[in-house]
Amino acid sequence: MPESRFHWSSSAIFARLKPALRGALAGIGCALLVPQAATAQTLRIAMTASDIPTTTGMPNNGFEGMRFLGYPVFESLVLWDLTTTDRLAPLRPGLAERWEQSPDDPKTWIFHLRRGVTFHDGTAFDADAVIWNLERYFNKDAPQFEPPAAGIVRARAPITTGYRKLDAMTVAITTASPASYYPYMAALILLSSPASFEKAGRDWAKVGLVGSAGTGPFRIGSVAPRERVELIRNDGYWDTAKKARLEKVVLQPIPEANARLAALRTGQVDWIEVPPADGIPSLKQAGFAIVTGSYPHVWPWFYSIGATNSPFKDVRVRQALNYCIDRAGIVELLNGTAEPAVGWLKASDPDFGKPVNRYGFDPAKGKALLAQAGYSAQKPLSFKVMISTSGSGQMSPLPMNEFLQANLKEACGVNVEFVVSEWQVLLNNMRALPDAPALNGSLSLNISSPSSDVAVMARYFAAAGAPPNGFNFAQWKDDAFEAAFAKLAATTDPKVVAEQTAIAHERLVDNPPWLYIVHDLNPRAMSGKVKGFVSPQSWFVDLTLVTMQ
């Protein structure tokens, strides 16, 4: 993978990408020049992904994949309420009408399935279908085992250890330890039709060419890799109150921000994810809607603490960088579509706690900590960071990382090199072991991440979530964090959960496994024709609410 020193322009980085990727992106740009017919109730969305998310029922491309080719088509036992903006999106019943911990065993959750639901192909949703999907993700010897999807699900629900059918409409799922937060993990396990796999000759590659059948408000109509996916309204959707208003949604991967901007301006799409910050004023002047809103998201660099000879084994180095960066400068660069991050949670969050360290732009303090750790002008701290050119929640990764590279050099004498990769490659490396060749010597990863609930906290920071089991890339372990987390996992008392979450978060700040940079405000730009959209405090959106004028 290519590397850089100091400033690269976006075009320079693009020029150094692998030829195959450059060709794919160029093809996408050319496709924008071809007029695309749209019916009155067709919504065309430009994603930040460089390819369409996988269509077999568990999409890749991070939570952007879940946003557009996850929940609109495939559903889980537990869903999100995405209709409000005044609080973090809560859970709601999905393909399970209700659930509870077993009174005999707090490690077991009982899910009572919704009756009368069918997949898009007309086959019945029942306990057998649920078990078939769980076997697909957790049993490597099952005929339907799908390794890429299994890797995603296992990392998002790493404490899942067993499952069984209790009757035709009831299943039990067992976890490694009592976990009051498990429904949040269950919400990320999507379910698709076993018949889709059989129809494709038990070949997941063939399933992906046409798309699997789910139970959601939209079904997959057509798939054109690297170009588009068409979603068609499911007129037989089980939740009659939430049938989609739109007839069709067209998803297009356009990873380059200015190409997305051009597509919106020329009417090729109606909605773009993450407009380029410097284009926002002119979009507003031209009458386009810029939609922003708080949501549970943080844009960090992950430290690799477990790598051989990693400087990040020393907590003073990890703290130092958190004092060395100019977060206000990043916010200004982004035209106000972000806010400074001084922890995994926002400082205004009631669970933020009272950490000793309150990070701000303080180069003197940062350099003092680096000096204590043995780094100086004569022996500067130097390391590589793996970054992407685009991707789910990645905002504007090239200019943002260039800013940080220059900022760290000027403020604290820190030398940063970049290893530039495709978004999905970067995501895969989040589960890499320390010193893995795929990291190309990177000691940090720039991966935007959710901060929505304690289940996410478990995946990213619990010692048990270290790769390959979860997303604790840092290989971080903190005894006080582990103790607090064990207490909140064992209780359903909201007061205790809040108290212990705050204690756990204090450790994330004072013993930081990440460099906390910004929380973004989820910007997207839309044509005035798009109506009814709600920007929830979530990574996901409810497309059933949207209409086209």
Side-chain angles (χ1 to χ4, degrees):
M1 295 181 189
E3 301 173 6
S4 82
R5 272 194 181 275
F6 206 56
H7 278 292
W8 283 0
S9 67
S10 299
S11 58
I13 292 181
F14 180 82
R16 294 184 61 147
L17 291 174
K18 294 184 295 184
L21 178 58
R22 294 204 307 270
L25 300 186
I28 290 170
C30 292
L32 294 176
L33 303 178
V34 181
Q36 297 173 14
T39 65
Q41 287 302 313
T42 295
L43 171 65
R44 299 161 300 168
I45 299 175
M47 303 181 296
T48 68
S50 60
D51 195 0
I52 60 171
T54 46
T55 57
T56 58
M58 179 48 67
N60 63 3
N61 275 285
F63 271 9
E64 186 177 52
M66 291 286 281
R67 180 184 301 142
F68 293 125
L69 264 171
Y71 295 115
V73 180
F74 308 99
E75 296 178 304
S76 48
L77 298 174
V78 182
L79 292 175
W80 305 91
D81 180 352
L82 303 172
T83 61
T84 61
T85 61
D86 60 350
R87 56 177 174 155
L88 288 177
L91 297 178
R92 66 179 177 90
L95 294 177
E97 294 180 323
R98 57 188 174 88
W99 54 87
E100 72 271 349
Q101 282 178 293
S102 169
D104 302 320
D105 178 11
K107 294 189 294 183
T108 297
W109 285 84
I110 309 298
F111 292 89
H112 304 272
L113 307 184
R114 190 175 298 278
R115 298 178 183 275
V117 177
T118 58
F119 290 102
H120 299 148
D121 56 17
T123 59
F125 168 77
D126 55 19
D128 289 332
V130 174
I131 298 301
W132 184 92
N133 276 276
L134 294 174
E135 287 279 279
R136 165 192 176 190
Y137 298 134
F138 293 103
N139 182 3
K140 63 182 179 60
D141 296 321
Q144 68 269 34
F145 184 68
E146 185 186 5
I152 294 170
V153 172
R154 290 181 178 195
R156 290 176 179 169
I159 61 173
T160 305
T161 56
Y163 39 84
R164 65 186 187 277
K165 172 183 173 181
L166 300 183
D167 60 42
M169 299 305 293
T170 314
V171 297
I173 300 179
T174 304
T175 58
S177 58
S180 58
Y181 54 82
Y182 187 74
Y184 287 96
M185 289 186 172
L188 300 174
I189 303 175
L190 301 184
L191 307 174
S192 60
S193 169
S196 296
F197 183 66
E198 296 296 330
K199 185 178 180 180
R202 297 190 167 195
D203 185 335
W204 282 116
K206 292 180 179 178
V207 174
L209 293 176
V210 295
S212 189
T215 59
F218 293 91
R219 58 181 176 83
I220 295 176
S222 64
V223 178
R226 293 277 182 185
E227 294 181 15
R228 58 198 274 142
V229 176
E230 292 190 357
L231 307 183
I232 309 298
R233 181 174 62 209
N234 174 18
D235 289 324
Y237 186 48
W238 58 266
D239 189 345
T240 57
K242 291 193 68 62
K243 285 187 178 180
R245 280 79 158 170
L246 295 166
E247 296 171 4
K248 183 187 295 186
V249 176
V250 179
L251 303 172
Q252 299 182 50
I254 307 179
E256 208 282 311
N258 286 319
R260 291 196 300 277
L261 179 65
L264 181 64
R265 284 189 170 279
T266 57
Q268 301 301 310
V269 297
D270 310 296
W271 161 336
I272 64 173
E273 295 287 283
V274 195
D278 58 3
I280 288 176
S282 62
L283 284 173
K284 289 180 178 178
Q285 290 177 356
F288 292 97
I290 306 298
V291 181
T292 60
S294 175
Y295 79 124
H297 172 266
V298 62
W299 196 91
W301 286 359
F302 296 2
Y303 297 130
S304 176
I305 299 171
T308 303
N309 299 320
S310 170
F312 301 124
K313 293 181 187 296
D314 192 324
V315 67
R316 293 171 296 188
V317 174
R318 290 180 268 134
Q319 291 173 341
L321 296 190
N322 273 292
Y323 284 110
C324 286
I325 60 171
D326 180 7
R327 296 170 178 86
I330 288 276
V331 171
E332 183 178 357
L333 175 73
L334 295 171
N335 230 317
T337 58
E339 54 191 321
V342 293
W344 185 64
L345 298 173
K346 297 183 180 183
S348 59
D349 193 296
D351 294 334
F352 186 88
K354 298 178 180 179
V356 174
N357 290 274
R358 294 303 295 244
Y359 299 121
F361 187 34
D362 190 343
K365 188 164 188 175
K367 286 191 286 189
L369 285 165
L370 287 173
Q372 292 172 24
Y375 297 98
S376 62
Q378 292 72 40
K379 183 190 174 183
L381 173 65
S382 303
F383 61 95
K384 294 180 181 180
V385 183
M386 183 172 284
I387 68 173
S388 66
T389 56
S390 64
S392 170
Q394 289 293 86
M395 306 175 66
S396 301
L398 302 181
M400 291 171 72
N401 279 300
E402 287 180 339
F403 179 98
L404 289 168
Q405 183 184 53
N407 168 195
L408 286 168
K409 178 67 174 179
E410 181 179 351
C412 291
V414 175
N415 298 319
V416 175
E417 297 180 45
F418 292 139
V419 176
V420 185
S421 77
E422 296 179 63
W423 172 232
Q424 189 58 47
V425 172
L426 183 56
L427 278 180
N428 292 343
N429 281 330
M430 183 163 52
R431 298 194 294 273
L433 295 173
D435 305 315
L439 295 172
N440 281 1
S442 299
L443 292 178
S444 183
L445 303 182
N446 169 221
I447 299 179
S448 60
S449 305
S451 54
S452 54
D453 54 78
V454 293
V456 176
M457 183 184 279
R459 295 203 307 275
Y460 282 93
F461 304 117
N469 298 321
F471 294 153
N472 186 355
F473 170 80
Q475 302 273 336
W476 181 77
K477 186 177 187 300
D478 182 281
D479 291 342
F481 175 92
E482 293 289 323
F485 205 86
K487 290 177 182 177
L488 72 85
T491 183
T492 56
D493 183 336
K495 183 179 179 180
V496 176
V497 170
E499 289 174 348
Q500 297 304 316
T501 301
I503 292 171
H505 188 264
E506 289 169 1
R507 299 308 303 151
L508 292 178
V509 176
D510 288 332
N511 184 17
W514 294 358
L515 174 61
Y516 304 110
I517 303 168
V518 291
H519 305 287
D520 91 279
L521 296 179
N522 207 13
R524 43 180 59 96
M526 300 178 182
S527 159
K529 296 179 181 179
V530 180
K531 303 296 181 183
F533 173 70
V534 172
S535 182
Q537 291 192 37
S538 172
W539 279 65
F540 313 116
V541 297
D542 189 343
L543 292 178
T544 69
L545 303 174
V546 178
T547 62
M548 293 294 291
Q549 191 177 64

